[in-house]
Amino acid sequence: LSRGGSRLGSRAKNTHRNYSCWCPSKRLILRLLYFVFPIVQTLGLPITDEQIQEMKSNLDNIDFKMAAEEEKRLRHDVMAHVHTFGHCCPKAAPIIHLGATSCYVGDNTDLIILRHAFDLLLPKLARVISRLADFAKERADLPTLGFTHFQPAQLTTVGKRCCLWIQDLCMDLQNLKRVQDGLRFRGVKGTTGTQASFLQLFEGDHHKVEQLDKMVTEKAGFKRAFIITGQTYTRKVDIEVLSVLASLGASVHKICTDIRLLANLKEMEEPFEKQQIGSSAMPYKRNPMRSERCCSLARHLMTLLMDPLQTASVQWFERTLDDSANRRICLAEAFLTADTLLITLQNISEGLVVYPKVIERRIRQELPFMATENIIMAMVKAGGSRQDCHEKIRVLSQQAAAVVKQEGGDNDLIERIRADAYFSPIHSQLEHLLDPSSFTGRASQQVQRFLEEEVHPLLKPYGSVMKEKAELSL
């Protein structure tokens, strides 16, 4: 977040410009080096107004070339900026980084970046949920064949199926917000977390050390800090962060896999532009390339969780430095990947195309078998024997199945029932008994209640960012 948490544009190609690499933002580093001193001054240490003003005036005066040369010489990123900042602030140079450790700068900066990074993702996730909610509402009553084990099952509706996707994303939204709200500042803890250096600076005054920690935490915008740290904040924080991002990746993968399968069934498609080419060899193809890209990136996002799990497990005692290079990669990549996924999924959800006639045809192929129980019940009500009716339908169903599987024909079970005099008492009811809407249960009512009670209240805080469209430069 080299621009202090600037808002990402809607174009996926610009994503990397806002997150930068996870090396802590140079401006945030200097601010953390600076803003502790007015607080220290109020607590009684001999820091002059002139020194504070000198630092404040040079917060954006960063000589990056000098910092790079210092880092090459010192082999230490934070100290390179301490020296560079000191060169700009000769009067304040003796006190810069006074009593602090590199992890006061690096870890606290990372926590600020994490908090801002969630701010970039949450509105995008809310927009995806909103677009899918509109889609679900519009198609809440449209019957479609349900699948279990990818085998035909009872009917559902297109809107109800979409709500399965939305529910997962709502859980992700709540989890991202929960982890963001639960972030705690490392605070001012010293080299091994004991605050020994600060206790010495304040000549044994424990209250002032605690006040410093509390005031710096509030200055950074956090509600609380860790009471216990080693040199770093516990790396389990990174596990929590990447866990919710990996979980989001799983949700996106499931949604886009469903879309890919539905594209194969020709029931639903992602957006496909007029001039878009699906295949260089097969001009007729309409490949679900956006959904495929999401699945590809989601797979990467899910695997990134292994990095902080391994890192947290091998932090020796108060800390070891084998976490640093790894974290600079996996934390940044996780947010970058999640961001790209959400931009792409929003684009998909804004242009989903449904083919009701294809859906209707597939229902006609499978519904006769599903309707057999209803037909048996209707016959019983008309005075027939359940066992006799069951046997009649069993024989006719097998004959119809043979036509479908062995001859490649259409399901003609209903025609066979119409032609059988045994079923004459219910012939006039068959059209009603085969009405797809009578097989979807409470699907449409569930959609309405779910959107009203769970989705819309969850999206309310994001009302001001809902209009932004997602455009892809692929």
Side-chain angles (χ1 to χ4, degrees), residues 83-357:
H83 281 248
T84 303
F85 197 30
H87 179 77
C88 297
C89 308
K91 294 176 182 177
I95 62 167
I96 293 174
H97 210 47
L98 182 65
T101 178
S102 298
C103 285
Y104 159 74
V105 175
D107 270 32
N108 283 325
T109 298
D110 279 349
L111 289 162
I112 293 171
I113 292 174
L114 287 170
R115 185 182 61 193
H116 284 310
F118 279 118
D119 281 334
L120 296 176
L121 292 185
L122 285 164
K124 290 181 171 64
L125 178 51
R127 281 197 292 272
V128 171
I129 294 171
S130 176
R131 304 305 190 263
L132 290 176
D134 292 341
F135 178 89
K137 182 179 179 181
E138 183 179 347
R139 295 161 180 85
D141 300 325
L142 179 59
T144 189
L145 187 63
F147 292 96
T148 59
H149 315 275
F150 204 22
Q151 301 299 311
Q154 286 187 354
L155 300 191
T156 182
T157 70
V158 173
K160 170 64 188 297
R161 176 179 284 150
C162 183
C163 285
L164 296 177
W165 305 340
I166 297 170
Q167 180 167 251
D168 288 350
L169 294 175
C170 286
M171 293 175 68
D172 293 319
L173 184 70
Q174 291 170 315
N175 286 334
L176 262 63
K177 187 61 180 168
R178 171 182 55 80
V179 171
Q180 183 192 42
D181 291 344
L183 287 173
R184 285 194 272 176
F185 208 46
R186 178 190 177 271
V188 185
K189 297 297 193 301
T191 306
T192 58
T194 65
Q195 299 176 304
S197 54
F198 296 102
L199 189 62
Q200 184 176 359
L201 284 171
F202 288 111
E203 298 179 348
D205 191 329
H206 290 268
H207 177 69
K208 286 187 176 180
V209 175
E210 289 192 358
Q211 281 294 104
L212 174 64
D213 199 8
K214 182 175 182 292
M215 293 169 74
V216 172
T217 298
E218 291 173 352
K219 181 74 172 177
F222 285 80
K223 295 177 182 178
R224 57 181 183 152
F226 286 102
I227 298 173
I228 297 294
T229 74
Q231 189 174 94
T232 68
Y233 67 77
T234 171
R235 295 308 183 217
K236 288 186 73 68
V237 173
D238 296 342
I239 295 176
E240 289 188 346
V241 169
L242 263 73
S243 288
V244 295
L245 295 179
S247 183
L248 171 63
S251 300
V252 175
H253 199 295
K254 185 265 190 295
I255 293 167
C256 290
T257 299
D258 283 357
I259 293 172
R260 291 165 64 192
L261 293 171
L262 290 168
N264 173 263
L265 297 174
K266 298 181 174 58
E267 293 188 8
M268 181 187 294
E269 286 182 341
E270 65 179 36
F272 198 92
E273 277 78 19
K274 187 176 181 180
Q275 301 297 321
Q276 184 173 330
I277 295 174
S279 168
S280 61
M282 295 167 277
Y284 61 87
K285 292 191 75 178
R286 294 169 67 95
N287 299 333
M289 46 85 73
R290 290 170 172 83
S291 298
E292 289 172 328
R293 177 175 288 110
C294 283
C295 288
S296 180
L297 292 173
R299 194 177 307 138
H300 175 61
L301 178 55
M302 289 185 282
T303 63
L304 287 174
L305 178 56
M306 287 306 300
D307 276 344
L309 285 169
Q310 295 280 358
T311 294
S313 72
V314 296
Q315 284 295 286
W316 301 348
F317 305 114
E318 280 63 50
R319 82 85 52 105
T320 179
L321 197 59
D322 63 346
D323 65 338
S324 180
N326 184 285
R327 293 176 66 252
R328 294 181 189 210
I329 297 170
C330 72
L331 290 172
E333 283 201 7
F335 279 96
L336 280 165
T337 305
D339 192 271
T340 302
L341 283 174
L342 292 174
I343 292 172
T344 309
L345 185 56
Q346 181 185 338
N347 178 265
I348 292 171
S349 60
E350 287 174 346
L352 284 174
V353 179
V354 176
Y355 297 104
K357 293 297 183 182

Side-chain angles (χ1 to χ4, degrees), residues 428-442:
S428 63
Q429 301 178 41
L430 286 176
E431 186 174 344
H432 171 71
L433 292 173
L434 289 166
D435 181 2
S437 63
S438 66
F439 290 84
T440 59
R442 300 190 64 254

